[in-house]
Amino acid sequence: MKSSSLLAIGVIAGALYSPIAALASTLNVMQTEAPRSMDPGDQTATYTAALLDPMYEGLLARSSDLTLKPALATEWKSDDAGLVWTFKLREGVTFHDGTPFNADAVVKNFARHLDPKRGLAASGRLRTFIDSVTAVDPMTVQFKLKHPYPAFLALLTTGACLMVSPVADAAGTIGSKAVGTGPYKLAEYKSGEYVLEAKNPNYWGGAPKGVGEIKWTWTSEPSVMNMALQTGDADVVSPLPPAFAKQIDANPDMKLNKSEGSAVFWLALNTKLKPLDDVRVRQALNYATDRAGLVKAIMQGYATPANSPLAPVTPGYDKTLASYTYDVDKAKKLLADAGYPNGFEMSTIVQEPDARLGEVLQAMWAKAGVKLDVRRMESGVWAKAAFADPVGKQTDGTGSVVASWSSGVNGADLQFRPLYYSASAAPAGANLGFFNEPKLDEVLDKAASTLDESARNALYVQAQKIVNDEAPHVLLYTTQDLYATRANVKGVWVVPGGQIEVKDATKN
C-alpha cells in the first residue's frame, strides 16, 4: 500500500496546508509505506509496527537501551524446564474502548493466534512453540510451551503479542480501528492519506510524556520525503533515503541518525519454478551479484554486503562465513553445467522504492546471460503477489521476490524460521520461494529449544552454512538504520531493523 507519485504529492499538499501541521504539539512523521493493518497481530511490516507502537502494548516492552522491562505484566517466572511461565498482570488498565485488561483479555488475544482458522499474518511463529495460555486468576496468566524457547520473552514485545481489545476483535473492526492500551489512541485514520493519534487521557502510566498528537503520512518518493523534512512539514522521516543523508547531516536545522541495523535485503528465488529448482542456477545468480556495487549504487555506502542470512547484530551471526564473490565467469559455468549455457529469462517483483535495486540487478545478471524482467508494484499489490502460493506464482510466472526481513534483536530463530523453514512457505509464512530442506528444519528446531547460548549459536552457524550452500535467496546487504528529525525534536530512537519509537518524542 505504498503511495504512488501522485498520491504522495497529495499527501504533502495536505501536510502543507493542514492547520494540524502548524501546531507545535503535533509530531509529523513520514514513512515510506502506508499501514498494512490497524491490528498488530495481522501484519509483520516494520513501518506499520512503528505507527502502531504508540497505541498498543504487550506484557513486556523494550527500553531504548534494548533491555526488556515490564509493561502490561509486572512480574513473571518460569519453572526449571522453561516450559511453564506465569505472569502477574498490571492492575487498573483499560483498553481505549473501556474494555478492562485482565487475564481473560490475554487468553483471548493468544487464542486468536493459536487458532489456525483465523489466519492472522503474525500468528505462525507463535503456534510453533506455544501450547496453551490459561487464566490462573483474574490477574494472572500461565503459558505452557511445547518446548523451551529462548526468545520467548523477547517475542512478547513484538506485534504478534501486543494486546488488542477483545471486544473490538470480536466485532471485526480491529483491522481498521486500532484499540489498544497505549499512551496514544487512534483519533482518525483516513485511508491512503494519514493516521492521527491523540493522547490517551486514561493511560495507566499517567499523562503521556510526548507531544499532543502524532500524525503519520507516507510516500514512496525519496525526494518528497526529503522536501518534507527540509520545509518542516515533516518532523521525522523514516527511513531516510540514503541519497540525502550527507545533505541532511550538513544542515544544522536537522539531525541525521544512523546506527547498525538488522534488516537484511534479499531476493527470494522460487525453488518450485524451473530452472530455479536447480541449486546450481541459484548459486550462479549469487555469483552474478556484485554486492559491494549494490551497496555503493543503492545505499550510498550506508549498508554492508551480506555474507549471511543473519545481520551482524543478531546473536549467532558468523562473521567468518564466506560469502559469494562477484564472479561472472563462475556464474556462467554453473549455468552451463545446469544446462543453460546461453542463460535464461526470469522475473522479479519489487515494491516501488526497491525498483532501482531491481534495475541494477537486471544489469548485473545480464552479464551472465540472465534476462531479468523487473515488475514494479504498489505495496498492496506486491504483498498479494509475494505471498501467493506455488500455483499462484506459477500462474503469474513469478520467479523471485525482492524483499527484506528484520528480526531486530529478538533472536536468530525469528530471522530463520519465517524465511527458510519449510512449514513457513507462503502464504502461511514469509518463505516466499517455498524452500524445503529437512536438514535445515532439523537444525532450526534443535536450536530453538537449546537453552545454552553457545550451543544454540553453534547450531545457527550450521544453519547459516546450509542457507548459503543451498542459496534459496540471493543475499544482498544489511542496511544501517537511517532516520532524520528536525533539530527541535527529541526523544526519538530506533529498534535495530528500522522501527522508530516516537511515543515519548517532544518538539520545541
Side-chain angles (χ1 to χ4, degrees):
M1 292 188 287
K2 291 180 181 173
S3 311
S4 68
S5 177
L6 288 175
L7 181 57
I9 292 172
V11 170
I12 287 300
L16 282 169
Y17 298 111
S18 167
I20 293 172
L23 297 175
S25 60
T26 300
L27 186 76
N28 291 287
V29 185
M30 181 174 284
Q31 298 192 113
T32 50
E33 67 176 47
R36 299 186 181 183
S37 174
M38 289 290 111
D39 181 349
D42 197 23
Q43 68 84 31
T44 58
T46 298
Y47 305 116
T48 301
L51 180 150
L52 297 180
D53 175 76
M55 300 187 288
Y56 286 103
E57 297 172 304
L59 299 183
L60 278 69
R62 195 171 287 283
S63 302
S64 58
D65 64 3
L66 304 182
T67 58
L68 299 177
K69 64 179 182 180
L72 294 180
T74 55
E75 57 185 276
W76 51 89
K77 63 181 180 181
S78 74
D79 65 353
D80 291 341
L83 291 173
V84 179
W85 290 78
T86 304
F87 293 80
K88 296 293 291 184
L89 304 181
R90 189 175 297 279
E91 303 271 359
V93 179
T94 58
F95 288 96
H96 299 154
D97 61 0
T99 302
F101 170 74
N102 51 29
D104 180 62
V106 176
V107 170
K108 287 179 176 175
N109 264 271
F110 282 93
R112 74 191 191 120
H113 286 297
L114 297 180
D115 178 4
K117 295 179 182 176
R118 288 293 302 270
L120 299 177
S123 299
R125 70 194 70 171
L126 300 182
R127 289 199 295 270
T128 64
F129 70 92
I130 295 178
D131 181 64
S132 63
V133 183
T134 56
V136 176
D137 62 42
M139 298 307 293
T140 307
V141 292
Q142 192 170 80
F143 289 71
K144 290 185 178 178
L145 308 188
K146 296 176 181 176
H147 52 76
Y149 192 71
F152 174 51
L153 293 180
L155 197 63
L156 292 179
T157 69
T158 64
C161 300
L162 301 185
M163 296 292 106
V164 308
S165 162
V167 172
D169 182 50
T173 58
I174 197 70
S176 59
K177 186 177 180 181
V179 185
T181 64
Y184 286 82
K185 61 180 183 179
L186 183 67
E188 186 177 9
Y189 176 17
K190 196 162 186 178
S191 181
E193 295 190 30
Y194 63 83
V195 171
L196 185 65
E197 300 167 358
K199 280 188 175 180
N200 172 14
N202 301 314
Y203 185 53
W204 60 264
K209 301 175 183 175
V211 295
E213 296 175 326
I214 305 172
K215 186 179 183 183
W216 301 80
T217 56
W218 44 87
T219 177
S220 61
E221 295 292 333
S223 60
V224 172
M225 183 171 276
N226 179 54
M227 182 181 71
L229 188 68
Q230 297 280 354
T231 60
D233 292 306
D235 301 303
V236 183
V237 294
S238 176
L240 178 72
F244 300 107
K246 291 183 179 178
Q247 178 187 356
I248 298 295
D249 203 20
N251 190 328
D253 293 330
M254 291 164 253
K255 290 188 295 187
L256 170 69
N257 296 272
K258 57 182 179 181
S259 56
E260 291 303 314
S262 66
V264 182
F265 277 70
W266 35 261
L267 188 142
L269 303 173
N270 186 347
T271 60
K272 297 291 186 184
L273 197 68
K274 288 186 178 299
L276 300 169
D277 58 342
D278 189 321
V279 66
R280 294 169 296 183
V281 173
R282 302 197 297 267
Q283 291 172 340
L285 294 175
N286 273 277
Y287 279 115
T289 304
D290 179 4
R291 291 166 179 75
L294 285 172
V295 167
K296 184 177 180 180
I298 303 298
M299 295 301 297
Q300 280 73 46
Y302 294 103
T304 303
N307 75 320
S308 163
L310 298 182
V313 298
T314 304
Y317 166 75
D318 181 5
K319 65 180 180 181
T320 68
L321 194 68
S323 62
Y324 286 88
T325 55
Y326 177 46
D327 191 333
V328 176
D329 290 338
K330 197 162 187 175
K332 288 180 176 177
K333 183 177 186 310
L334 281 165
L335 289 177
D337 291 345
Y340 300 92
N342 299 316
F344 66 97
E345 297 182 10
M346 63 175 285
S347 69
T348 194
I349 59 174
V350 299
Q351 300 178 79
E352 289 289 344
D354 296 327
R356 172 67 177 151
L357 174 55
E359 292 166 357
V360 175
L361 283 172
Q362 184 182 58
M364 288 178 178
W365 291 3
K367 296 176 182 177
V370 177
K371 186 176 181 180
L372 183 65
D373 175 24
V374 179
R375 302 175 182 175
R376 303 168 60 144
M377 297 179 177
E378 176 268 340
S379 177
V381 177
W382 173 90
K384 186 176 181 180
F387 284 85
D389 63 15
V391 174
K393 283 199 170 82
Q394 175 81 34
T395 302
D396 295 337
T398 304
S400 62
V401 181
V402 174
S404 64
W405 191 268
S406 170
S407 57
V409 288
N410 297 315
D413 190 63
L414 296 184
Q415 190 79 17
F416 275 113
R417 191 169 298 273
L419 303 184
Y420 305 105
Y421 196 71
S422 59
S424 301
N431 180 353
L432 304 181
F434 318 111
F435 182 55
N436 187 333
E437 179 48 68
K439 62 183 177 184
L440 177 65
D441 290 354
E442 182 180 347
V443 170
L444 294 182
D445 284 341
K446 189 174 181 181
S449 60
T450 299
L451 295 179
D452 180 83
E453 184 175 3
S454 296
R456 184 169 67 249
N457 288 341
L459 290 166
Y460 285 131
V461 169
Q462 288 185 38
Q464 289 166 77
K465 290 178 178 175
I466 293 171
V467 169
N468 275 22
D469 290 344
E470 295 296 324
H473 284 179
V474 177
L475 299 170
L476 302 175
Y477 48 74
T478 302
T479 58
Q480 291 185 11
D481 291 330
L482 297 178
Y483 72 90
T485 69
R486 299 287 300 179
N488 62 339
V489 174
K490 296 180 179 177
V492 180
W493 58 281
V494 64
V495 180
Q499 179 180 325
I500 54 170
E501 302 281 336
V502 303
K503 59 179 174 287
D504 293 332
T506 59
K507 178 181 172 185
N508 297 326

